[in-house]
Amino acid sequence: TSQWSAGTIVIGTVTAPVNDAPVATGTATFPSVNEDTTPAGQTVSSLFTPRFDDTRDTVAGGSSANTLAGIAITANASTAAQGTWQYTTDGGTTWGPVPRTGLGDATALILPSTASLRFVPEPQWNGTPGGLTVRLIDGSNTSNNPVAFSASSDVSTNGNTTAISAATVPLTTVVVAVNDAPMVSGTATVPPSNEDTPSATGTSVSTLLGQSTVSYGDGTDTIAGGSTGTPAAGLAITGNASTAAQGAWQYSTDGGTWNDIPTSGLSDTNAIVIPATASLRFVPQPDWNGTPGSLTARISDGDTGLPATGAQNLGTVGGTSQWSAGTIVIGTVTAP
């Protein structure tokens, strides 16, 4: 006879999910690129998924986190002198440049997660180019899921319950220096000596290469913010035009022990390598005077280290090697 029912009822409700914008953290890094090469692309997914977090949408018995659906590129800090960030949406058949100007939150370049990016450096350039600034997009926006390519989209409304991260992620890379052989030409002259009185000390290779008649340049390895050209590290003597009747060209690496340079058989595959600290001289035969046959030599910039002194196979010359494609002539005179 009480006022309360013997039976009960159940009162329930449902809380509808509301998207939480993904959280973007850290820096994305494109694999390093060698100077003078065009790299393969990396997918947006592989570059930015490690920087993407949507766990705020994971609720037990409720909503699930979304995956990375795409990115919005809002800035490009690279310069024309450095190279070009490029993208493809068709698997690499065609590549387009990421604009260097005009990008922003109101004019973002939208790429789906299946698109790819790469950085193509300018010839001879190396260093750290300007990077891209990127917002991350989750797959919650059913009207744009999967995310579609757009050359100019407004992502200025971001964070909160949108599909677009409030924070941005930088995309960076490094262009690794590749050596360029030095540019060489000209003639070096060992100071004249008198008949029957050869120089006891010779002339250092560094002194010979410092003469105004010798042109040595490693400027293609000098990049602002990148690699630096190096001075000459030594010689590879690939020819000797003197004769036994004239005398002998000699080199020393210790200022006292002199070694004859062969008058035959010298070449790029059998060159006499001597460091810049070594010395050269010409020792005439007794009572001989005149102009002996000269030496022909390549110059090294020291990349990867100068080979051991003595007979060496130079391998590749010019190009990206340490040895100049051009040669110099080293001559002298024996006065009567």
Side-chain angles (χ1 to χ4, degrees), residues 2-70:
S2 76
Q3 63 179 312
W4 299 109
S5 63
T8 59
I9 63 171
V10 175
I11 301 171
T13 190
V14 172
T15 300
V18 174
N19 185 66
D20 291 297
V23 176
T25 57
T27 299
T29 304
F30 187 89
S32 61
V33 181
N34 283 339
E35 176 186 336
D36 298 328
T37 60
T38 298
Q42 299 287 314
T43 64
V44 167
S45 178
S46 65
L47 290 170
F48 293 100
T49 294
R51 311 271 66 86
F52 174 90
D53 181 6
D54 199 42
T55 55
R56 293 191 302 172
D57 277 333
T58 300
V59 178
S63 59
S64 299
N66 298 289
T67 57
L68 177 71

Side-chain angles (χ1 to χ4, degrees), residues 212-309:
S212 60
T213 52
V214 175
S215 174
Y216 172 89
D218 201 31
T220 52
D221 276 334
T222 301
I223 305 296
S227 60
T228 302
T230 54
L235 296 177
I237 300 170
T238 59
N240 181 359
S242 68
T243 66
Q246 295 169 341
W249 281 102
Q250 296 180 333
Y251 71 90
S252 174
T253 58
D254 61 8
T257 304
W258 291 95
N259 306 277
D260 287 351
I261 298 171
T263 56
S264 63
L266 294 177
S267 67
D268 284 343
T269 58
N270 187 41
I272 300 298
V273 173
I274 57 176
T277 54
S279 295
L280 283 170
R281 72 177 183 179
F282 183 77
V283 179
Q285 287 285 26
D287 297 325
W288 187 90
N289 60 74
T291 302
S294 57
L295 302 177
T296 301
R298 300 190 190 278
I299 304 179
S300 167
D301 63 10
D303 181 62
T304 71
L306 193 70
T309 299

